[in-house]
């Protein structure tokens, strides 16, 4: 399949350079310091650097270079882990593996050259004094008392530093540039410092080590790098980067540094120092703990390299700082695993069911497909069935809440692939805990087929063949979307924001027998539960499964009360995730220019939807190929509402059909009338589309009348300027830095302010009016 070339500002620069013949080849590099494991942010840089080389092959290459200039923090363990992770992500450097430590002799020689040219000196000021002498952003720096030493004295002192005659911190080598420079990086930066430490590659050969700014640019030059791609925090270093390579006698190519926004993801920290703390203080079980944002941790959790690459491809390459919602990463993972993970049955919190009218000693099997009908893969496995089963404890309620459509006393439910059963009795232990359900099955409903309406369908595992396994339910490591920022703002430690529910272990979960031979790394979708992978520690005698991701995004902001979180968790976040899914699906459909294949009957039906009801052509085609039950739902929804048929069709396709990937229509507590009522509220602008999606998600879980939900919770759209202005004024006052940046010309922050208002109003504000009011308020 052919694809359009990727486009972003960096790729445009590279193409322009080649077109203008400024370069005849493309040479990039990924230059990690081996002082920790790679994390999700590094994957963005890896994909960009190696991706550019792949796109311009054969006249291109990407180097893997370790910037190993700090012996106190670096280790061969990290170099091996980094190489393993880069390969796992799908990239290879071939023969182009380098180390900055290989260049130590040349870097030292160039440092002496700089001294001979009068552009560097040995300074005996300590670290604190150097910082004081450097000045501030509003005051120029002062010259060190040692700045005007002669060339001969500086050479002698520098060689004595090399020979180990000084202690750590006793003196440094500094460049002599400009103490009044507006760029603080140019105020006589450090080039070398003393470290009497063993280096993992050079041993004890050196006791002075180059600073990053000295080693990095010269290593690029030595290797002939054409485009040195760095993240935004190195933007101020660029001037020094160019100053060094222009003043050193380099017989090699002069590279060009270009900055882009680093890969930031919410609900995570990506500082190696912070990640190391998590490991050393025992907050996690190592660098590859599945909760860690490291590549190793994500691999062990079951995330695939394809999902990570797709995530960063969708995020794109930008010039400005941004944070990608963790839910977007989870969506990319689900999207990838959807076609990789066969469906199986697993009960994580089992409660026994005894079918009293099922013959004792008898068993039977059902042929259960590994894949749903929309995945073009084949395969099935025998699913044993018997008198005793296990179902999920949450699938039974002795006192069911409103909208509960699973098993209840005296009620019936469909067992996936098997029979309809009815609960007659509940057995409790001495403590009152439910330990067993006594039920009967309807033998005429084999395969779940029945003419009567049974709303709920649940999963199960036969007790006589169930495999006892350990399941680790992993969740986000942090409970705050910005743990580092929150720690700074609230004068706390970032570990204070760790999520206490980030790991829950189910030691005696039950899975179907087809999983008995599962191997480490094998992915599965536990139906109605989520995506799971066999952990690397798993053995044939003790299977361990890690949850990779849930089937839906059920995360909610923890700043609200527990009651509100329980009510809204599966509303707001799932609605956001569905909105993203909708946009990505529409974009993918547009790019592929695909429409459902229509028979003559389907074509006639689609034409009627389009011509008579005004349904969009694509939506009409999608509806036309749905089964009769879905089409009947649509027909019922538009009775007396044909003027809103197009909107109802769009909601069915973008929201309802997504739910039907994992559930039957008759198990959804959403009716044609309640869906139509919800669409009407959005179309009449009584509520915003965002709130509408929240309500729909709640209706999917619990049912209910959308009009009553809006009334009870006061969710009407805020379209009154007088009501919105106080909110806007509060947000502007609470964000002085962003306000100043916006008024200084950084108008892209308008999205930040709109988002704050929408968050403060629970998504109820009229976004168009909010923008108008913000423009006036911000000036």
């Amino acid at each position: 399949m052919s694809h359009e070339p990727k486009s972003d500002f960096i790729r445009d620069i590279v193409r322009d350079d080649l077109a203008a013949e400024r370069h005849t080849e493309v040479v990039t590099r990924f230059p990690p310091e081996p002082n920790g494991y790679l994390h999700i942010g590094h994957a963005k840089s890896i994909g960009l650097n190696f991706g550019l080389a792949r796109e311009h092959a054969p006249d291109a290459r990407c180097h893997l270079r370790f910037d190993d200039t700090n012996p106190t923090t670096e280790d061969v363990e990290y170099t091996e882990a980094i190489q393993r992770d880069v390969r796992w992500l799908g990239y290879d450097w071939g023969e182009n593996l380098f180390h900055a430590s290989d260049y130590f002799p040349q870097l030292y020689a160039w440092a002496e050259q700089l001294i001979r040219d009068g552009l560097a000196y040995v300074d005996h000021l300590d670290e604190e004094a150097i910082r004081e002498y450097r000045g501030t952003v509003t005051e120029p720096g002062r010259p060190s008392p040692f700045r005007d030493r002669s060339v001969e004295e500086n050479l002698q002192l520098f060689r004595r530093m090399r020979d180990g005659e000084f202690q750590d911190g006793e003196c440094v080598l500094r460049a002599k540039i400009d103490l009044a420079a507006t760029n603080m990086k140019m105020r006589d930066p450090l080039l070398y410092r003393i470290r009497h430490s063993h280096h993992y590659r050079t041993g004890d050969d050196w006791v002075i080590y180059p600073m990053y700014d000295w080693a990095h640019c010269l290593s690029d030059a030595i290797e002939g790098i054409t485009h040195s791609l760095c993240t935004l925090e190195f933007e101020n270093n660029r001037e020094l980067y160019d100053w060094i390579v222009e003043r050193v006698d380099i017989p090699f190519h002069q590279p060009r540094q270009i900055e882009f926004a680093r890969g930031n993801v919410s609900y995570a920290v990506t500082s190696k120092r912070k990640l190391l703390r998590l490991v050393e203080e025992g907050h996690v079980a190592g660098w590859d703990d599945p909760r860690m944002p490291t590549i190793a941790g994500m691999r062990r959790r079951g995330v695939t390299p394809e999902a990570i690459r797709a995530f960063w491809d969708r995020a794109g390459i930008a010039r400005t700082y941004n944070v990608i919602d963790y839910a977007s990463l989870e969506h990319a993972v689900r999207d990838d695993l959807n076609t990789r993970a066969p469906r199986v049955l697993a009960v994580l919190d089992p409660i026994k069911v005894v079918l009293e009218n099922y013959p004792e000693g008898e068993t039977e099997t059902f042929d259960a497909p590994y894949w749903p009908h929309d995945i073009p893969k084949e395969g099935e496995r025998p699913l044993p069935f018997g008198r005793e089963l296990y179902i999920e404890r949450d699938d039974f309620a002795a006192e069911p809440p409103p909208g509960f459509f699973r098993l209840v006393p005296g009620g019936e439910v469909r067992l996936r692939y098997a029979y309809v059963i009815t609960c007659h009795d509940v057995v409790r232990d001495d403590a009152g805990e439910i330990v067993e359900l006594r039920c009967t099955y309807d033998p005429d409903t084999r395969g779940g087929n029945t003419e009567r309406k049974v709303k709920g369908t649940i999963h199960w595992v036969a007790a006589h063949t169930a495999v006892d396994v350990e399941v680790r339910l992993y969740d986000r490591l942090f409970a705050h979307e910005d743990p580092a920022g929150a720690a700074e703002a609230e004068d706390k430690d970032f570990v204070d924001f760790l999520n206490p529910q980030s790991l829950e272990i189910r030691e005696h979960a039950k899975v179907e027998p087809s999983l008995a031979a599962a191997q480490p790394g094998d992915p599965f979708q536990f139906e109605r539960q989520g995506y799971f992978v066999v952990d690397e520690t798993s053995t044939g005698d003790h299977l361990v499964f890690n949850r990779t991701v849930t089937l839906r995004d059920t995360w909610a902001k923890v700043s609200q009360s527990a009651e509100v979180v329980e009510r809204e968790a599966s509303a707001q976040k799932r609605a956001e995730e569905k909105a993203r899914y909708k946009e990505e699906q529409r974009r993918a459909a547009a790019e592929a220019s695909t429409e459902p294949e229509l028979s003559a009957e389907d074509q006639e039906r689609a034409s009627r939807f389009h011509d008579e009801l005004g349904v969009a052509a694509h939506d009409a085609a999608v509806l036309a190929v749905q089964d009769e039950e879905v089409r009947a739902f649509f027909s019922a929804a538009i009775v007396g509402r044909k003027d809103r048929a197009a909107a109802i069709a769009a909601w069915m396709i973008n929201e309802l059909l997504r739910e039907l990937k994992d559930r039957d229509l008759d198990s959804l507590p959403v009716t044609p009338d309640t869906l139509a009522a919800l669409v009407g509220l959005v179309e009449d602008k009584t509520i915003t589309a965002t709130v509408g999606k929240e309500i729909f998600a709640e209706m999917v879980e619990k049912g209910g009348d959308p009009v009553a939900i809006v009334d009870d919770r006061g969710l009407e759209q805020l379209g009154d300027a007088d009501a919105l202005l106080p909110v806007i004024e509060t947000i502007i006052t609470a964000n002085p830095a962003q306000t100043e940046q916006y008024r200084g010309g950084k108008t892209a922050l308008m999205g930040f302010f709109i988002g704050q208002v929408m968050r403060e109003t629970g998504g109820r504000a009229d976004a168009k009016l909010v923008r108008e009011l913000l423009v006036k308020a911000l000036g």
Side-chain angles (χ1 to χ4, degrees):
M1 182 182 296
S2 62
H3 297 277
E4 288 294 320
K6 294 181 181 178
S7 181
D8 52 62
F9 78 96
I10 288 181
R11 287 180 165 86
D12 291 343
I13 289 172
V14 171
R15 293 186 186 111
D16 289 346
D17 285 347
L18 291 173
E21 299 185 350
R22 284 185 283 270
H23 303 291
T24 58
E25 62 177 356
V26 175
V27 186
T28 59
R29 83 289 171 271
F30 174 62
E33 181 183 357
N35 62 350
Y37 280 54
L38 299 181
H39 54 66
I40 182 63
H42 288 120
K44 177 180 182 179
S45 181
I46 293 169
L48 175 60
N49 282 284
F50 281 94
L52 277 168
R54 184 174 290 176
E55 292 160 23
H56 292 280
D59 299 320
R61 64 182 185 275
C62 180
H63 298 179
L64 175 61
R65 181 179 74 239
F66 293 104
D67 278 348
D68 50 355
T69 61
N70 187 353
T72 62
T73 61
E74 297 160 356
D75 194 278
V76 67
E77 173 194 353
Y78 299 135
T79 65
E80 293 173 351
I82 289 169
Q83 292 179 69
R84 183 166 57 247
D85 290 347
V86 173
R87 283 199 177 98
W88 178 78
L89 282 170
Y91 302 104
D92 192 0
W93 51 90
E95 299 177 353
N96 301 300
L97 176 64
F98 302 102
H99 300 78
S101 55
D102 292 334
Y103 311 138
F104 281 176
Q106 180 63 74
L107 297 177
Y108 175 83
W110 279 329
E112 285 205 354
Q113 177 202 324
L114 212 63
I115 293 172
R116 285 192 294 271
D117 292 341
L119 297 175
Y121 62 97
V122 174
D123 194 351
H124 277 77
L125 290 178
D126 61 27
E127 183 178 351
E128 184 177 346
I130 289 175
R131 187 163 47 248
E132 179 185 348
Y133 271 70
R134 189 170 279 145
T136 67
V137 292
T138 58
E139 298 177 354
R142 293 177 290 142
S144 164
F146 309 102
R147 194 174 193 261
D148 294 326
R149 281 172 163 158
S150 66
V151 169
E152 292 74 17
E153 186 179 6
N154 281 315
L155 279 174
Q156 181 187 44
L157 288 169
F158 189 48
R159 289 167 182 169
R160 290 176 62 192
M161 287 172 59
R162 177 199 61 190
D163 294 339
E165 296 185 25
F166 299 107
Q167 297 303 309
D168 289 9
E170 193 171 345
C171 53
V172 296
L173 182 70
R174 298 176 67 180
K176 186 186 291 186
I177 306 180
D178 182 4
L179 291 170
T182 55
N183 183 352
M184 299 290 287
K185 293 285 184 182
M186 302 300 287
R187 296 187 184 181
D188 290 11
L190 275 63
L191 302 180
Y192 271 86
R193 79 286 208 203
I194 301 170
R195 289 282 189 276
H196 287 272
S197 299
H198 185 84
H199 191 280
Y200 78 101
R201 294 192 73 247
T202 62
D204 299 319
D205 293 347
W206 295 88
V207 296
I208 59 170
Y209 291 92
M211 302 296 291
Y212 169 86
D213 283 316
W214 177 254
H216 182 78
C217 60
L218 294 177
S219 298
D220 282 351
I222 290 171
E223 295 175 18
I225 302 302
T226 58
H227 299 84
S228 179
L229 309 180
C230 301
T231 46
L232 284 175
E233 61 264 38
F234 294 102
E235 186 174 17
N236 289 336
N237 299 62
R238 190 202 318 158
E239 187 177 359
L240 178 56
Y241 184 105
D242 293 339
W243 185 91
I244 291 173
V245 295
E246 289 169 2
R247 283 159 180 78
V248 172
D249 184 15
I250 301 177
F252 309 105
H253 172 80
Q254 181 169 324
R256 175 184 181 184
Q257 178 175 311
I258 308 169
E259 304 85 25
F260 64 97
R262 65 180 295 171
N264 299 292
V265 180
S266 64
Y267 293 96
V269 295
T270 52
S271 157
K272 285 185 184 176
R273 178 176 55 81
K274 290 183 171 65
L275 294 176
L276 182 61
R277 267 196 63 194
L278 293 174
V279 174
E280 291 182 336
E281 295 177 5
H283 300 291
V284 294
W287 286 97
D288 67 343
D289 187 302
R291 293 167 293 177
M292 288 279 273
T294 56
I295 302 300
M298 299 178 75
R299 176 169 60 243
R300 187 172 174 185
R301 187 161 172 166
V303 175
T304 65
E306 291 82 2
I308 294 175
R309 294 200 303 266
F311 166 67
W312 285 123
D313 281 348
R314 293 170 185 171
I317 304 298
R319 295 178 186 267
T320 54
Y321 175 89
N322 62 343
V323 178
I324 310 299
D325 191 344
Y326 191 87
S328 297
L329 174 59
E330 291 178 322
H331 173 70
V333 174
R334 291 187 192 98
D335 194 48
D336 182 75
L337 290 177
N338 181 46
T339 57
R340 293 178 184 273
R343 277 55 169 174
V344 293
L345 301 185
V347 177
L348 307 187
D349 187 11
I351 183 172
K352 182 175 283 189
V353 170
V354 177
L355 302 178
E356 295 179 316
N357 64 332
Y358 195 91
E360 291 193 41
E362 283 195 18
T363 61
E364 60 184 306
T365 59
F366 297 94
D367 292 329
Y370 277 122
W371 307 98
H373 62 83
D374 59 336
I375 303 297
K377 290 185 176 182
E378 296 182 354
E380 59 184 20
R381 78 283 188 195
L383 204 58
F385 187 87
R387 176 182 171 87
E388 295 186 353
L389 314 168
Y390 292 112
I391 68 169
E392 205 70 56
R393 188 171 296 274
D394 286 347
D395 281 337
F396 174 78
E399 298 179 3
F404 188 85
F405 293 104
R406 285 161 280 172
L407 191 59
V408 299
E412 62 180 8
V413 72
R414 179 186 292 107
L415 297 180
R416 180 85 158 137
Y417 305 119
Y419 295 102
V420 172
I421 66 171
T422 303
C423 179
H424 298 289
D425 194 15
V426 177
V427 180
R428 300 177 184 267
D429 61 16
D430 294 339
E433 182 79 11
I434 298 175
V435 294
E436 188 174 288
L437 303 176
R438 310 294 290 191
C439 303
T440 58
Y441 86 111
D442 183 348
D444 294 331
T445 60
R446 195 176 198 281
N449 298 317
T450 174
E451 293 183 1
R452 63 183 182 275
K453 197 170 187 65
V454 180
K455 290 188 174 181
T457 299
I458 63 175
H459 60 280
W460 53 277
V461 174
H464 70 287
T465 57
V467 179
D468 199 61
V469 301
E470 177 183 327
V471 174
R472 299 169 182 171
L473 301 176
Y474 290 104
D475 204 342
R476 301 179 186 184
L477 183 58
F478 288 94
H480 195 286
E481 62 184 351
D482 182 14
E488 183 177 352
E490 300 178 27
D491 194 23
K492 292 184 177 181
D493 194 332
F494 78 99
V495 297
D496 293 336
F497 297 95
L498 285 167
N499 176 17
Q501 281 80 47
S502 63
L503 171 59
E504 181 183 352
I505 298 178
R506 303 286 177 85
E507 294 183 343
H508 297 289
K510 311 294 182 182
V511 300
E512 64 174 76
S514 70
L515 292 177
Q519 298 298 309
D522 287 350
F524 298 95
Q525 184 196 104
F526 291 176
E527 291 198 34
R528 301 178 65 229
Q529 306 276 18
Y531 291 99
F532 292 76
V533 68
V534 184
D535 187 68
E536 61 184 27
T537 63
S538 189
T539 65
D541 296 330
H542 181 64
L543 286 174
V544 179
F545 291 87
N546 298 332
R547 183 171 68 188
T548 306
V549 67
T550 56
L551 289 178
R552 298 180 179 86
D553 181 6
T554 57
W555 190 263
K557 292 189 179 298
V558 189
S559 59
Q560 304 174 72
S561 69
E563 179 181 354
V564 175
V565 169
E566 182 178 357
R567 186 176 69 237
E568 297 185 355
S570 60
Q572 168 124 9
K573 286 298 181 181
R574 287 182 57 205
E576 291 173 358
E577 196 247 331
K578 288 174 189 172
R580 282 189 294 273
Y581 176 85
K582 167 186 172 182
E583 180 57 30
E584 289 162 5
Q585 290 297 96
R586 283 189 176 278
R587 188 184 305 118
E591 291 175 355
S593 298
T594 58
E595 291 287 345
E597 294 185 10
L598 303 181
S599 64
E601 182 180 0
D602 292 337
Q603 184 62 59
E604 180 183 354
R605 196 179 294 122
S607 297
R608 186 170 69 253
F609 289 154
H610 177 59
D611 297 337
E612 299 177 11
L613 300 174
V615 176
H618 174 78
D619 292 350
V622 173
L623 274 179
V625 299
Q626 300 304 311
D627 58 39
E628 185 175 352
E629 189 177 15
V630 173
R631 297 198 308 272
F633 187 104
F634 174 66
S635 298
I638 65 172
V639 171
R641 312 177 186 93
K642 290 187 177 181
D643 58 325
R644 286 183 172 156
I648 292 172
W651 274 77
M652 285 191 62
I653 291 167
N654 297 317
E655 306 299 332
L656 190 68
L657 293 188
R658 176 145 170 80
E659 295 295 332
L660 298 185
K661 292 178 68 176
D662 302 308
R663 307 173 60 170
D664 297 326
L665 182 59
D666 60 6
S667 71
L668 289 178
V670 179
T671 69
D673 286 337
T674 58
L675 177 64
L678 176 63
V679 174
L681 291 171
V682 176
E683 291 296 295
D684 291 337
K685 300 191 181 302
T686 302
I687 59 174
T688 64
T690 299
V691 170
K693 290 181 173 62
E694 292 178 26
I695 295 174
F696 178 80
E698 182 173 335
M699 290 164 57
V700 166
E701 293 294 323
K702 303 177 181 179
D705 176 8
V707 176
I709 293 173
V710 170
D711 290 340
D712 292 344
R713 292 167 52 188
L715 296 177
E716 294 86 359
Q717 177 169 279
L718 289 176
D720 183 359
D722 291 337
L724 290 172
L725 279 173
V727 177
I728 289 172
E729 290 170 1
T730 300
I731 288 171
I732 290 175
T733 302
N735 296 277
Q738 290 86 348
T739 301
E740 183 179 354
Q741 291 172 2
Y742 178 88
R743 288 171 174 165
K746 197 172 182 180
T747 55
L749 282 170
M750 176 58 71
F752 164 80
F753 286 103
I754 293 175
Q756 293 294 310
V757 175
M758 298 305 288
R759 183 177 302 170
E760 189 67 22
T761 60
R764 295 168 52 213
D766 182 333
K768 182 178 179 181
L769 178 58
V770 168
R771 176 180 287 275
E772 293 173 358
L773 295 174
L774 278 168
V775 168
K776 293 179 181 177
L778 290 167

